[in-house]
């Protein structure tokens, strides 16, 4: 692809080419899941139509082809986030499973009574609950990095939150509820001073920005295919090979073993040690195709486009009487998420009225109830943008919000 052109890009996404309630669909819910380009849908169909077979087990041609495509996709994802080798990518169902994998497989062996787990009040529930479960199982204590009035992490007292007992620090790269971009490299450096493991929820990170896990200096990075133009049900955990090798398996079954005995067994090499059972082969191939798609456009171009769009959206939405926008004021600290409330209108009512105008936004707590509690609200409405959105989409949002304003005035 040549110059970045969201109008042209939009036509690569068949689901965007439709009317909802008689109006052109304006899809502003990409933080929940992105739409899929033809290249990804085509890769899924091609796999099922020509190469469908189980991986790693068969000698026949289809199995060979499926295995090659599956492992090639792993390599693409590894390169995409700057991993040292493809063996550092473990396929998972998504970010949630990747985080549960670390909290369970690493956590149960390395966290004990009286130890501390440091997370933040900005986290998606999938980066809270696995650590709560680990704390409950081990007697460890869960501690929190708090938020300021703009929904940024308060890091002034980070050194007092990190102690010799801190075994793991788990934070998001980018908040799904507010769009806050966290300084993960800075947090990782401080956490490593006390010898803690650094786990990053990258569900909203690798989607919008170029990620190099080694530059970030983190230990684990979890992300989902469906938020970055790929299929649902597939994602990945990146961790360094030595860390993966030292970790116990997460689930037991086929594919993850080397030799099985009656009482004891030995494990396959990483990453297969963590991939029990038949994997989501089509999903992995689809995620590889999504990486190809995004790489061809270029993450820097995507990020620049989203920044321009957010600048425009913050300005236009910010002028609406009664609007309250949550999250950082500076574009440098915020990604493509616009969380807001409008007067006394319940976010569910906002979303329903916008839907009638063909504008899809999310309303609710966004799986981030601690963030809602911080701002003293039960829910917000959230418009989230991606590479295929345009200023015209923002105008449609603003127009529809005008209608909400007139109903609730
Ligand atoms: C920041 C963040 N973390 C984790 C998740 C969970 O991702 P998944 O549902 O793909 O496992 C999401 C999904 O919305 C998210 O936005």
């Amino acid at each position: 692809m040549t110059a970045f052109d969201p109008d042209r890009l939009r036509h690569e996404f068949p689901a965007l080419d439709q009317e909802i309630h008689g109006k052109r669909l304006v899809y502003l819910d990409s933080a929940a899941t992105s739409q899929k380009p033809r290249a990804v849908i085509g890769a899924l169909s091609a796999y099922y139509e020509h190469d469908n077979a189980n991986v790693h087990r068969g000698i026949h041609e289809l199995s060979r082809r499926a295995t090659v495509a599956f492992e090639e996709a792993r390599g693409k994802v590894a390169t995409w986030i700057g991993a040292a080798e493809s063996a550092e990518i473990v396929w998972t169902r998504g970010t949630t499973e990747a985080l549960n994998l670390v909290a369970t497989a690493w956590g149960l062996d390395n966290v004990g009574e009286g130890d501390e787990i440091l997370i933040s009040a900005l986290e998606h529930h999938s980066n809270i609950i696995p650590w709560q479960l680990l704390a409950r199982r081990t007697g460890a204590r869960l501690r929190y990095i708090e938020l300021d009035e703009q929904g940024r992490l308060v890091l002034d007292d980070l050194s007092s939150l990190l102690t010799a007992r801190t075994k793991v620090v788990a934070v998001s790269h980018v908040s799904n509820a507010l769009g806050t971009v966290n300084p993960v490299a800075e947090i990782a450096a401080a956490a490593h001073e006390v010898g803690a493991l650094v786990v990053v929820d990258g569900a909203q990170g690798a989607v919008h920005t170029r990620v190099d896990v080694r530059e970030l200096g983190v230990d684990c990075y979890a992300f989902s295919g469906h938020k970055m133009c790929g299929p649902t049900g597939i994602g990945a955990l990146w961790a360094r090979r030595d860390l993966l090798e030292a970790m116990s398996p997460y689930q037991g079954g086929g594919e993850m073993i080397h030799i099985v005995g009656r009482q004891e067994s030995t494990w396959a090499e990483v990453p297969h040690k963590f991939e029990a059972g038949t994997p989501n082969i089509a999903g992995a191939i689809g995620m590889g195709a999504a990486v190809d798609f995004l790489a061809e456009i270029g993450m820097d171009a995507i990020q620049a486009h989203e920044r321009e769009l957010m600048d425009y959206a913050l300005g236009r939405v910010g002028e609406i009487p009664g609007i309250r926008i949550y999250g950082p004021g500076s574009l440098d600290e915020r990604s493509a998420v616009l969380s807001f409330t409008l007067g006394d209108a319940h976010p569910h009512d906002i979303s329903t009225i916008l839907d009638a105008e063909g504008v899809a936004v999310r309303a609710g707590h966004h799986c981030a109830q601690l963030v809602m509690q911080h701002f003293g609200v039960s829910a917000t409405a959230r418009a989230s943008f991606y590479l295929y959105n345009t200023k015209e989409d923002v105008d449609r949002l603003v127009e529809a919000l005008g209608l909400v304003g007139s109903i609730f005035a």
Side-chain angles (χ1 to χ4, degrees), residues 52 55 319 327 381 395:
N52 177 51
V55 288
E319 283 169 3
D395 293 341

Side-chain angles (χ1 to χ4, degrees), residues 138 203 256 282 287 310 335 355 375 381 405:
T138 57
M256 53 75 72
M287 188 163 171
M310 272 309 290
S335 183
D355 180 56
F375 287 107

Side-chain angles (χ1 to χ4, degrees), residues 195-255:
L197 185 85
V198 178
V199 180
V200 175
D201 167 354
Q204 303 288 345
V207 179
H208 298 290
T209 183
R210 194 179 58 76
V211 169
D212 185 317
V213 284
R214 286 181 287 172
E215 260 173 37
L216 287 178
V218 302
D219 300 304
C220 302
Y221 195 94
F223 53 116
S224 301
H226 70 97
K227 298 197 195 273
M228 44 179 275
C229 299
T232 51
I234 188 74
L237 170 71
W238 168 82
R240 286 189 326 273
R241 176 190 268 275
D242 62 315
L243 184 61
L244 290 174
E245 280 176 348
M247 272 161 62
S248 297
Y250 174 49
Q251 294 179 331
E255 292 277 311

Side-chain angles (χ1 to χ4, degrees), residues 259-326:
I259 306 279
V260 174
R262 289 194 172 219
Q263 304 297 334
E264 291 290 333
S265 298
T266 54
W267 315 135
E269 296 280 306
V270 298
H272 309 294
K273 179 171 88 174
F274 297 102
E275 295 177 354
T278 299
N280 182 351
I281 304 163
I285 292 168
M287 188 163 171
V291 162
D292 284 344
F293 178 80
L294 292 175
E296 198 182 329
I297 298 164
M299 287 312 282
D300 292 342
I302 292 173
Q303 201 175 356
H305 168 68
E306 289 176 358
R307 189 182 165 102
E308 198 183 319
L309 215 51
M310 272 309 290
D311 194 19
Y312 184 66
L314 282 169
R316 288 232 52 206
V317 176
E319 283 169 3
I320 296 172
I323 203 91
R324 180 179 174 197
I325 295 176
Y326 301 81

Side-chain angles (χ1 to χ4, degrees), residues 122 174-180 204 326 337-340 365-368 371-372 380-382:
L122 191 57
V174 174
S175 154
N176 65 307
L178 304 175
T180 315
Q204 303 288 345
Y326 301 81
V337 166
L338 188 63
S339 223
F340 61 91
H365 53 60
H366 316 297
C367 297
V371 175
M372 300 297 118
T380 68
R382 182 187 72 185

